[in-house]
Amino acid sequence: MAASPRRKSVVINIGGVKVGGSNPIVVQSMTNTDTADSAATANQIMQLARAGSELVRVTVNTEEAAQAVPTIVSTLRDFGVNVPVIGDFHYNGHILLKKYPGCARALAKYRINPGNVNIGRKQDDNFRIMIEAAVEYDRPVRIGVNWGSLDSVLLTRMMDENSRAPEPLDAMEVTKRAIVESALRSAEAAERYGLGRDKIILSAKVSNVQDLIDVYQMMAARCDYPLHLGLTEAGLGSKGIVATTAALSILLQQGIGDTIRASLTPLPNGDRADEVIVCQHILQALNLRSFTPQVAACPGCGRTTSTFFQDMADQIQTYLREQMPLWREKYAGVEEMKVAVMGCVVNGPGESKHANIGISLPGTFENPVAPVYVDGKLSTTLRGDHIVAEFREILDNYVARRYGIEQPSEELTVA
């Protein structure tokens, strides 16, 4: 079953990256360095960009961070990294954007949390000043509501109104409606202060999968602003990955969502780029975008007591990802290639035939040979201690022949 048609939305331009409408769903990430440390932050942005993050957000919470932003962006450009950098502002954004115009100009977009500014009070100067900065520097704004910092005035008013209703809703339902109201009312206020409709993107994040789905379905039905999806505080490891995938996949399948982020809690010294890879896998699994060739590998069973096929699958998947920055420039369409690394005769040959290129390794007690299939046909049979290196060479030749201009000098033969 194909995904539902994309929800119609306004198109906005974020530093050259078009978001919304029929444009590809964009992968976003966020640094966890101290932004005031310009070298560390620039390095992490480059790491995230190399992994495939198309937008990168940084925290701008202090004067030192604001002062560092122009240096960070300049350093990225010096290294040829043109990924748009987004500033994440809370509480004091109105001060920092006004006091440090170099920061305001260097950022490609501002993120404002309406729960952490004084919108909704008698005076909402803080919010207005931030919007006026966006207007002055012609920058888009993401109005990002989070239920952990929801506008307390709005929530209290809606709870009071609900308590007087003939059939009151439960507190969580009111909270979800308040999240949506906060985003939409803030967007309306931004437009009143002069920000164009094509400069606004919305998000409404919660940490429970079903609640997130409800909130975005409500918001998608009530506006045509582009929507940024993300399960906030998704958690550690497999829990965070599974919860994020479950929530985002349902919404994306319904045609909801224009940018996405996996807000994973990294392990100490973990790879921050994991959140980028998870987003790419979600989009690729749903056939919404392709980023890197995919490896199909069997889970293993009593027929595969050796771990060789697991090691080989990991090596090949890692090799494909490492090659993609180069291949992307040389070989159009290579990101859609399918590779199979299978562990025994039961499904190995069949799965290999379905892939563009596949290898069926010998399982326990099987003959020590590994047939290789290319475009559904047996191409060669590998033996011995150099199967991984030989298969990688076959893979390289296939990529050059199938996706490149030049033809290989030698044809593969069946052994």
Side-chain angles (χ1 to χ4, degrees):
M1 181 179 69
S4 299
R6 283 278 295 282
R7 162 185 167 271
K8 293 182 179 180
S9 70
V10 176
V11 176
I12 68 173
N13 189 319
I14 304 174
V17 176
K18 290 185 178 180
V19 171
S22 60
N23 291 291
I25 297 163
V26 171
V27 173
Q28 182 172 322
S29 61
M30 185 175 185
T31 60
N32 62 355
T33 56
D34 179 0
T35 308
D37 186 341
S38 59
T41 302
N43 283 333
Q44 190 172 82
I45 293 172
M46 285 189 274
Q47 175 201 10
L48 293 167
R50 282 194 299 269
S53 184
E54 294 154 310
L55 301 171
V56 180
R57 183 159 47 111
V58 301
T59 297
V60 187
N61 59 334
T62 64
E63 295 196 12
E64 292 77 12
Q67 290 172 311
V69 166
T71 300
I72 291 168
V73 174
S74 176
T75 301
L76 294 173
R77 304 303 177 249
D78 289 343
F79 279 90
V81 177
N82 295 312
V83 64
V85 178
I86 300 162
D88 192 62
F89 294 96
H90 298 271
Y91 307 110
N92 61 351
H94 59 295
I95 297 172
L96 298 177
L97 285 171
K98 192 168 184 178
K99 187 173 181 179
Y100 297 99
C103 171
R105 282 191 294 266
L107 294 169
K109 185 180 77 171
Y110 313 148
R111 188 269 181 145
I112 302 174
N113 184 337
N116 291 334
V117 296
N118 58 358
I119 188 169
R121 280 65 167 179
K122 292 182 178 179
Q123 299 293 327
D124 60 359
D125 290 345
N126 297 359
F127 180 81
R128 175 181 55 78
I129 290 170
M130 297 174 76
I131 296 301
E132 288 175 349
V135 173
E136 179 179 356
Y137 298 108
D138 193 28
R139 295 293 186 266
V141 168
R142 171 157 72 93
I143 296 174
V145 181
N146 191 305
W147 76 340
S149 51
L150 183 57
D151 182 347
S152 60
V153 173
L154 175 63
L155 179 60
T156 299
R157 183 167 65 249
M158 291 183 67
M159 286 290 187
D160 289 343
E161 292 171 354
N162 180 66
S163 67
R164 295 191 293 270
E167 298 182 8
L169 303 171
D170 65 60
M172 189 61 231
E173 181 62 28
V174 178
T175 300
K176 289 186 289 187
R177 296 187 181 195
I179 291 169
V180 174
E181 285 298 323
S182 178
L184 296 178
R185 293 184 187 191
S186 298
E188 292 170 1
E191 289 196 56
R192 286 199 306 272
Y193 293 134
L195 191 64
R197 195 169 187 78
D198 63 344
K199 291 286 191 294
I200 299 172
I201 185 168
L202 300 184
S203 67
K205 295 188 176 183
V206 300
S207 57
N208 178 276
V209 170
Q210 295 292 355
D211 292 335
L212 188 85
I213 294 167
D214 289 345
V215 165
Y216 273 95
Q217 287 174 337
M218 283 191 281
M219 194 156 63
R222 293 184 56 186
C223 73
D224 63 355
Y225 299 111
L227 300 179
H228 168 71
L229 304 186
L231 188 75
T232 191
E233 292 94 35
L236 281 161
S238 59
K239 184 269 180 185
I241 293 172
V242 170
T244 295
T245 302
L248 269 58
S249 294
I250 291 172
L251 291 167
L252 292 168
Q253 187 74 4
Q254 295 174 354
I256 298 171
D258 301 287
T259 77
I260 65 172
R261 182 192 171 204
S263 299
L264 306 177
T265 303
L267 295 171
N269 301 313
D271 191 344
R272 189 67 168 178
D274 286 348
E275 65 178 52
V276 178
I277 296 170
V278 168
C279 286
Q280 291 177 334
H281 281 315
I282 291 171
L283 293 175
Q284 194 146 351
L286 293 171
N287 292 329
L288 294 174
R289 290 188 67 181
S290 293
F291 296 92
T292 189
Q294 297 295 289
V295 174
C298 64
C301 66
R303 290 176 173 271
T304 57
T305 53
S306 168
T307 61
F308 181 73
F309 82 95
Q310 299 165 338
D311 294 333
M312 184 171 178
D314 180 58
Q315 290 180 52
I316 295 301
Q317 183 71 74
T318 300
Y319 178 72
L320 293 171
R321 184 165 289 279
E322 290 174 346
Q323 291 297 108
M324 273 310 295
L326 174 63
W327 283 358
R328 192 177 292 112
E329 300 299 323
K330 296 175 61 177
Y331 304 124
V334 68
E335 66 277 2
E336 297 180 359
M337 181 174 65
K338 303 294 189 296
V339 180
V341 179
M342 303 300 294
C344 81
V345 73
V346 173
N347 293 315
E351 190 73 39
S352 296
K353 291 176 184 178
H354 289 305
N356 294 105
I357 180 169
I359 184 169
S360 180
L361 296 166
T364 306
F365 306 124
E366 291 180 16
N367 291 330
V369 297
V372 175
Y373 296 83
V374 175
D375 289 331
K377 297 179 180 180
L378 180 64
S379 175
T380 189
T381 301
L382 303 180
R383 300 176 175 84
D385 299 328
H386 305 289
I387 288 178
V388 175
E390 292 173 1
F391 183 73
R392 198 166 75 177
E393 183 178 353
I394 293 170
L395 184 60
D396 287 338
N397 289 336
Y398 179 81
V399 169
R401 183 179 73 250
R402 172 70 181 270
Y403 302 101
I405 298 175
E406 297 182 0
Q407 299 292 321
S409 58
E410 296 182 3
E411 293 290 329
L412 299 173
T413 58
V414 177

